[in-house]
Amino acid sequence: MSDPIKHECGIAQVRLKKPLEYYQEKYGTPLWGFYKLFLLMEKQRNRGQDGAGVAAVKFDMPAGEPYMFRERSVKSNALDRIFKDTLKGYQKLIRNGEVLPDYVPSIKRKFDFAAELYMGHLRYGTSGGYSLSVCHPFFRRSSWPTKNLILAGNFNMTNTKELNDSLIAIGQHPIFATDTQALLEKVGFHLDEAHDNLYRYLRDEGHTNDEIAEKIVTGIDLPKVFRKSAESWDGGYALIGGIGNGDSFILRDPLGIRPAHYFEDDEVFAAASERAPLMTIFDKSLEDIKEVPPGHIIVMKKSGEILDEAFREPEPEQKQCSFERIYFSRGNDADIYKERKALGAGLCNQIMEGIDRDLENTVISFVPNTSEVAYFGVLEELRMIRRKAVKAAILDAAEKGELDSDVLDELVMRNWPRGEKIAHKDQKLRTFISTEDSRNEMASHVYDVTYGIVEPKDNLVCVDDSIVRGTTLRKSVLKILGSLNPKKIIIASTAPQIRYPDCYGIDMSELGKFIAFEAAIELLKEKGKKDVIADVYRKCLDAENGDAPNTVNYVQEIYKPFTDDEISAKISQLVYPYDNDWRGELQVIYQTVDNLHKALDGHDGDWYFTGNYPTPGGFQVVNRAFINYFEKAKGRAY
């Protein structure tokens, strides 16, 4: 993605199934689970660089001893800092003689992260700023073990205000207006309720205090807690967490929007956002890793019992986020790798038309590095197209008696796809930093190119995985590619035009910043259809005020008068680098929605392309986003 965006936090969970002594004896350290957590998070570092946090729960600690711990950081290289600092503290305990490295009970008693349950979170902030206070995991503390709650997740809720209002209605005073705080307090309320109800029931049944305490520790029904907590949740979410009695959980929204995977063997239960890291870190096969079913919560009781239950009725039509497959998840997952190649292949008919089928004088490349797998798919499909053309031409020449060495040379030796590494992202600069002026300045220095490869007679095709704002294209990529002086530049996006805001975990919420939306608005003005803009504004207002249906996406009317090709052509004009000396032709082409679905079979979440939102909150967000645009109000629409 030449315009990287904030997105998709990462989650990791490691639950040991044996005593710590087992891991000391087999692997040489009782901190085996802690190290695995670090590696599992490291392999998902792509999912979060705004902060990181880890939490641990120790089992069977004596009364009066702490048993739940957390470390968080929002500094640069947050994940490395957390683990480096905690292990530095461990070494200090050894040096001071407080911990005996071969005596596990001393390690568990003195070192905070010698535990049986671990959770980790990698944060890309889509709300709440960048302070430590908004960094997961979140804690809700109590002197009762079963009222202690740890929660972390990859999620966005569209109805945070409604959730906070429901807390106020039951007498709470929520401090933060973030969806994380709302979820924490909502779950916490029902967890407290479950504890108190169980306590009263056992008391009334005549049980002693010791019996009550023991039965509460084992008797909390987490699936039931979440069935009550999540009744009104509207959004995409994958959550991990635990309570002080040692029960842990992972759950996923009923539409399957956010990803969640897990496996279990005789040593460990582990979960993560992505499948491939679990396979790598724990040396598992593809078949060992399972997806958390949409609408389900998987609970591992402290006893080791596994519960897999529905907490929300799974939706009949799943809407798994297609951006996970296009860009967010690591490309070394077997299925994602194949899908990204298929996305590249889906662009080839448009590419062939754009270069007038002149492969001989065309250089194929990619920008940024995350587009590389799709680039392989482009090259593979173009070669297949060329092979078919050569075969047909050879058969035709043979039938006419014209097949000779010269004809074979012409067909076999010429006009084949030529792939080169042209663009280089030579600095790890993020082009989505918080201020617009700083973003534009940074964007102009992100890329460099290979000189001496592209000639003035050449077309230059660059595969991009998606184009959101067009900022980096305008400010950097096209300027630097234009310096090579090709005849024509084609930017080929493996994703369709991003037309609508996301509200389920990706920070794409301001309509006015989408290059596709900007193009549609410009076309409306050029075609004398400005009244459409005001009409859509009125409809959005009516929907928000209850005077029109609020589960209709009125913003679709902005695009309705134009074909995809017309909008793509306008985008090409808008991002053209007029402020440098290159005056070749520029064409921006996009994946079709049909080809997207063919490539990503089973991952049908496409609301940012089509405007077809899977929850009521999505329609309310898109209409509010347009109101914000029309009224020149900045900020998220949810």
Side-chain angles (χ1 to χ4, degrees):
M1 178 177 293
S2 57
D3 281 330
I5 52 177
K6 304 173 192 175
H7 64 84
E8 299 302 318
C9 299
I11 54 177
Q13 186 180 72
V14 176
R15 170 34 166 103
L16 303 181
K17 298 178 69 176
K18 307 280 189 182
L20 295 185
E21 286 81 1
Y22 171 90
Y23 305 94
Q24 168 81 340
E25 182 177 343
K26 182 171 182 178
Y27 298 108
T29 175
L31 304 183
W32 181 82
F34 188 52
Y35 296 146
K36 290 294 186 181
L37 180 73
F38 169 73
L39 293 171
L40 197 53
M41 295 175 72
E42 176 66 29
K43 289 295 184 182
Q44 298 182 100
R45 190 188 286 263
N46 55 298
R47 303 188 72 87
Q49 298 173 22
D50 289 332
V54 298
V57 180
K58 297 183 180 184
F59 295 175
D60 303 318
M61 293 297 288
E65 293 285 337
Y67 54 92
M68 298 178 75
F69 304 89
R70 175 182 64 177
E71 288 292 337
R72 300 177 295 173
S73 176
V74 291
K75 296 179 179 179
S76 60
N77 297 316
L79 180 62
D80 294 340
R81 286 176 181 271
I82 289 171
F83 281 87
K84 183 178 179 181
D85 290 348
T86 53
L87 291 175
K88 189 183 293 184
Y90 177 59
Q91 293 301 322
K92 185 178 179 180
L93 290 171
I94 294 175
R95 287 195 306 271
N96 293 343
E98 297 178 68
V99 161
L100 302 176
D102 295 325
Y103 185 56
V104 174
S106 72
I107 300 172
K108 182 173 179 178
R109 186 172 63 253
K110 289 292 186 179
F111 180 52
D112 292 351
F113 287 89
E116 287 83 6
L117 171 60
Y118 298 100
M119 285 156 282
H121 184 266
L122 295 148
R123 183 173 191 268
Y124 255 128
T126 57
S127 67
Y130 299 93
S131 69
L132 196 65
S133 64
V134 296
C135 200
H136 299 203
F138 272 49
F139 264 25
R140 193 173 187 269
R141 297 186 182 274
S142 171
S143 59
W144 291 90
T146 47
K147 289 188 177 184
N148 277 291
L149 173 65
I150 303 173
L151 190 67
N154 166 19
F155 62 90
N156 257 33
M157 297 294 169
T158 68
N159 61 335
T160 300
K161 183 180 183 303
E162 176 188 328
L163 295 176
N164 279 314
D165 288 345
S166 71
L167 293 172
I168 294 170
I170 57 176
Q172 291 199 21
H173 188 132
I175 303 299
F176 302 104
T178 64
D179 50 5
T180 306
Q181 190 71 25
L183 261 61
L184 184 76
E185 295 302 334
K186 194 77 173 174
V187 176
F189 171 80
H190 289 288
L191 184 62
D192 289 352
E193 184 181 54
H195 171 103
D196 294 344
N197 287 344
L198 186 55
Y199 173 84
R200 284 190 290 266
Y201 170 78
L202 294 170
R203 182 197 61 193
D204 295 344
E205 287 287 305
H207 291 277
T208 66
N209 286 338
D210 287 344
E211 290 172 337
I212 290 173
E214 181 180 345
K215 290 181 179 295
I216 286 178
V217 165
T218 59
I220 292 295
D221 186 345
L222 280 176
K224 185 177 180 181
V225 167
F226 278 93
R227 275 191 282 272
K228 291 184 175 182
S229 304
E231 281 180 341
S232 59
W233 292 359
D234 187 304
Y237 47 91
L239 303 178
I240 57 171
I243 57 178
N245 68 346
D247 292 354
S248 60
F249 60 85
I250 179 169
L251 59 90
R252 189 180 184 198
D253 66 81
L255 284 157
I257 296 174
R258 298 275 67 85
H261 299 82
Y262 74 99
F263 82 92
E264 179 196 10
D265 62 21
D266 61 345
E267 293 182 333
V268 65
F269 175 97
S273 294
E274 298 184 29
R275 178 173 62 177
L278 288 167
M279 295 171 62
T280 301
I281 300 307
F282 293 96
D283 193 25
K284 296 298 176 182
S285 68
L286 200 64
E287 294 73 24
D288 292 326
I289 311 301
K290 301 176 183 178
E291 271 194 276
V292 177
H296 277 234
I297 180 171
I298 297 174
V299 175
M300 186 166 194
K301 304 285 287 183
K302 178 179 176 291
S303 64
E305 179 187 4
I306 297 282
L307 306 175
D308 181 351
E309 297 183 20
F311 70 96
R312 288 276 300 270
E313 187 68 29
E315 297 292 337
E317 187 177 359
Q318 299 299 294
K319 290 294 180 181
Q320 298 182 14
C321 177
S322 58
F323 253 121
E324 278 286 345
R325 322 299 282 189
I326 297 168
Y327 171 68
F328 295 146
S329 293
R330 288 164 62 96
N332 62 332
D333 183 277
D335 290 339
I336 292 174
Y337 188 88
K338 294 172 185 175
E339 290 165 359
R340 289 182 183 173
K341 287 184 71 176
L343 287 169
L347 292 165
C348 286
N349 287 337
Q350 292 185 75
I351 290 173
M352 289 295 282
E353 291 177 13
I355 63 174
D356 198 24
R357 310 191 78 81
D358 183 12
L359 291 170
E360 182 78 12
N361 296 302
T362 297
V363 175
I364 314 292
S365 193
F366 58 93
V367 57
N369 291 341
T370 50
S371 307
E372 186 175 13
V373 176
Y375 156 80
F376 291 148
V378 169
L379 287 179
E380 189 175 287
E381 181 65 15
L382 289 177
R383 291 185 185 118
M384 183 59 66
I385 291 172
R386 178 59 183 158
R387 288 189 191 107
K388 290 177 180 178
V390 168
K391 177 182 177 181
I394 289 174
L395 291 174
D396 183 61
E399 186 177 337
K400 295 177 180 177
E402 299 172 355
L403 186 62
D404 57 23
S405 178
D406 291 339
V407 170
L408 282 175
D409 281 348
E410 177 69 19
L411 292 173
V412 175
M413 304 303 293
R414 296 185 61 243
N415 208 33
W416 288 91
R418 179 158 52 114
E420 303 285 0
K421 175 76 170 177
I422 297 297
H424 305 265
K425 194 169 186 178
D426 60 353
Q427 297 185 49
K428 293 182 178 178
L429 296 176
R430 295 173 64 190
T431 59
F432 45 85
I433 54 180
S434 57
T435 61
E436 198 73 27
D437 291 341
S438 298
R439 178 188 298 135
N440 292 340
E441 171 64 20
M442 287 290 189
S444 65
H445 299 288
V446 169
Y447 291 96
D448 203 350
V449 290
T450 303
Y451 294 95
I453 302 297
V454 178
E455 299 181 15
K457 63 183 178 64
D458 286 335
N459 303 300
L460 175 57
V461 177
C462 269
V463 180
D464 193 346
D465 32 36
S466 61
I467 303 165
V468 186
R469 293 180 291 262
T471 304
T472 312
L473 278 181
R474 281 188 267 213
K475 301 293 182 180
S476 178
V477 172
L478 289 172
K479 285 184 178 180
I480 199 72
L481 294 180
S483 71
L484 302 176
N485 198 31
K487 178 178 69 174
K488 180 178 183 178
I489 295 173
I490 296 177
I491 303 295
S493 170
T494 66
Q497 295 166 4
I498 297 171
R499 298 181 170 192
Y500 306 97
D502 181 79
C503 51
Y504 305 119
I506 310 170
D507 193 19
M508 301 189 304
S509 59
E510 295 186 60
L511 270 173
K513 294 182 179 179
F514 297 165
I515 190 64
F517 181 79
E518 183 182 347
I521 292 293
E522 288 297 313
L523 285 170
L524 287 171
K525 293 176 179 177
E526 289 175 8
K527 304 294 185 183
K529 297 179 180 291
K530 287 179 64 175
D531 57 316
V532 172
I533 302 171
D535 188 47
V536 169
Y537 172 66
R538 285 191 294 271
K539 289 179 179 179
C540 290
L541 278 179
D542 288 344
E544 194 166 87
N545 294 330
D547 298 324
N550 65 356
T551 54
V552 175
N553 181 354
Y554 297 102
V555 183
Q556 289 175 321
E557 296 178 22
I558 295 293
Y559 300 95
K560 191 174 181 179
F562 312 110
T563 66
D564 292 352
D565 289 343
E566 287 177 303
I567 292 174
S568 294
K570 175 52 67 175
I571 291 171
S572 301
Q573 294 177 20
L574 292 173
V575 300
Y576 194 95
Y578 293 105
D579 53 352
N580 72 359
D581 295 331
W582 180 69
R583 287 298 174 264
E585 183 183 352
L586 171 65
Q587 183 181 10
V588 180
I589 64 177
Y590 287 88
Q591 190 75 258
T592 66
V593 173
D594 284 345
N595 280 347
L596 175 84
H597 289 310
K598 289 176 184 175
L600 310 183
D601 184 31
H603 289 78
D604 297 329
D606 62 3
W607 49 89
Y608 14 67
F609 310 128
T610 64
N612 299 325
Y613 287 89
T615 74
F619 294 102
Q620 294 161 28
V621 166
V622 68
N623 293 328
R624 166 41 63 178
F626 189 83
I627 294 171
N628 287 350
Y629 160 77
F630 193 89
E631 296 177 351
K632 297 181 173 57
K634 293 184 178 181
R636 299 196 313 164
Y638 55 95

